[in-house]
Structure formats: structure tokens, C-alpha cells
Amino acid sequence: MLDQVTDALKQKDYRTAARLLKQLAKEEPNNPWVRLYIGRLHEATGKLDAAETAYRKLLKNTTHPKVMTQARQGLERLEAMEQEKRRQALAQATADPENTQFGILVLEPIEPQAKPTAAQTLAKIMQIDPYTARLQLPTRGWRLYRVGPIGELKFYASSLKQGSVPCFWAILAEIQSLNVFRVHYFSQVSSQEATVVCENDQGQLGSLPFQWSQVSQLVEGRLPIFEQVVDVDARGKLQRKTQTQDYAQFCDLHLPTRKTILRLCDRDYQFHQGTELFPQPKNHPTQGKSPSPLSQTTNRINWNKLRDFLNRQLPQTPVWSDFTNFAETALDYKEMLTRLPAHIDLFRRQESLWDSAFELYSGLVFVKNN
């Protein structure tokens, strides 16, 4: 009967082959040749996942040399078909000139219990081993995973989503086109609207009024401030090294209807200017001492009060605050980050990619959710 199955497969009479194999599977359920031909039938009818499963079970459960050889050959054919299918899909995805734009692929966090299955999917699509794939799947925050032509990234994203791996893509030019204004202070505030004095990327000052209802989300982040310090090594010798000495606090307000980001920073915001958002404690100078021109509250306390003010005005507005985890994956893409103006003015002895990483994070939140 197996000869009849072979003839039916050669003649592409898959209905007859399926009928014969169904009968053989009942009569000889443990016959490795029957299981092999079932795999071949799956392969011939385009059920490639079922064929792969059948071939792998044979390699695991049988010791018959000829069956094992043909099962391996079957897996090789399936891999070649997958490679060709992948090549054609990528060629089609990048054929449109618009799909050659530079893009970014981001993996979103996944539940730990879903990691094993997702790792198999990621490994198969990206052609890496499952162990490496599992390490690359994030469980907290976003992971910048790949950059390149947007057509290619769309193909990967579509395949990953079909395999239940959460991800998204974005075009870098869309992030670069956003208007980013550095806020100096609020000049007017009411329950419905506000006006800020801000600076554009040309260094020009101006006023920008907006409705609180126009703010779709807030993005928070801490950017490290690096300094050169002198330390003593294990041998007692002095050495210079770079250390994080402090952090600058940032908060972006997104106005999608204007394609605009209002950027607040605790180092830039002029707490003594504009309308009073929160009461400043009065100075009580001691005898013989002049009062401080500013209140005795620290910059950090002022910043916390400013954030409390924004929370009161925007109580239901989503806040994105997982910048640090994302930045640690983005800093490896130095060439891409250098393409992105940071719209950040921190006093640094040398430029830092952390600034562009925050620009990228905030921009990705903007384009993904709007």
C-alpha cells in the first residue's frame, strides 16, 4: 500500500494518498514509514508546520537509518522553501520606493509565561537560536530591536505579530518632523487652557497657547549628567574616569493636533518667572543677612511641585515613564541616534547619546499613539 501512496504523491493525487495513509495509520500506527509519508503529504499540500512536526517527531522517536535520512532531507526542503518564501516577501516589501525610508522596529514587553513560545517565533523569523531570542524579548518596557528600510521592518513586524510577539515600527522622518519647543515658564494658566513661553530649535522665544484637552500624553525621563572625576585604583594610583554625578529631569507634553511636543526640564524651567503655579515659601532672613532672591526650596522640590501641578491639570492623561530601560537598548545604535537632533540644552563637556535617546523615546510614543 505504501507503493500506492508513493504513486499517488507522484501524480499529485493527494486525495487518494490521504485516504490510503489514513487506513495505514490505523493498521500500523507505529510504522515509521507511514509517519514519514504523512509528513510528505503535509509538505506536498502546503501544510508546512504539520510537515515539520512530523519530521521532527520521526527524528526523535525512530532509529531507522533510511527513515531518519529522509526526515532530515524533508526538513532541509522545508527550510529551503521558507528561505525562498522569505526572500520573495522581503523583495516585495521593499519594492515600493516609499518603503526604503529609514525605520525603527521596537519589541514591546511580553508576559514571562509567554516567553518560551514567543522566543521560538522570534528565532524562526529573525533566524537566530531560541536561547538568544529569549534573551532579546523584553518583559519590562520597550526594546529597540532593529533599524533599516521600513519595508523590511514592516515585514518583520507583521510576521512577529502573527506569532503573538508584540511590536511596532516607526519611520524616523516622522519623528524628525515633530515640532519640539523648550518651555521656559507658564505665562498664563486657567482650568481650560494655558500659555507657555518657549524656545524653538532656532533659539527664538515666543508664546504658545494651548488647551489642556489637547495634551494626549506625558513622557518622563531622567538624563544622566556626567563628570570627570579623579579616583584611586587598586594600586593606589590616581586615575580619571567618567561618572554619573546627577540627573536632569524631563517631562514632555504631547499635542498631536499640532504635531508638537512641549519639553520641560528642571534645569531650564524658570521657576521665578511667569504665573505662580504653586505658592513659594516666604524668606525669613536672620539679622544681618539679606534674603535670597529665590525661595529656599531646592530645584528638585520646585520640579516636584511643577509635576504635581501638571498632574492636577491632566489627571486622566497617560504618563510614559520607562525611558531608562528603552535607552539602554537604544544606545547601541549610535549612527541612528546621531541623525536625530535632541532639542535638549544641557551643559555637557561632550555630547551624549542619552539626549537623542530621549528624543527618540518621546517621538516613538508620539507617533505610535497618535
Side-chain angles (χ1 to χ4, degrees), residues 74-86:
L75 288 175
E76 290 172 0
R77 289 194 301 274
L78 293 177
E79 184 177 355
M81 293 167 63
E82 184 66 28
Q83 291 281 7
E84 178 61 19
K85 180 181 177 182
R86 174 193 178 95

Side-chain angles (χ1 to χ4, degrees), residues 183-186 205 265-274:
V183 175
H184 285 227
Y185 56 87
F186 283 86
L205 281 178
C265 173
D266 65 344
R267 305 298 175 101
D268 282 344
Y269 192 88
Q270 299 171 14
F271 294 101
H272 59 288
Q273 296 286 345

Side-chain angles (χ1 to χ4, degrees), residues 340-361:
L340 197 60
H343 301 100
I344 288 173
D345 186 23
L346 291 176
F347 176 73
R348 294 188 184 277
R349 298 187 185 277
Q350 60 184 18
E351 293 185 5
S352 171
L353 293 178
W354 279 88
D355 299 349
S356 295
F358 183 75
E359 180 82 11
L360 178 62
Y361 179 68

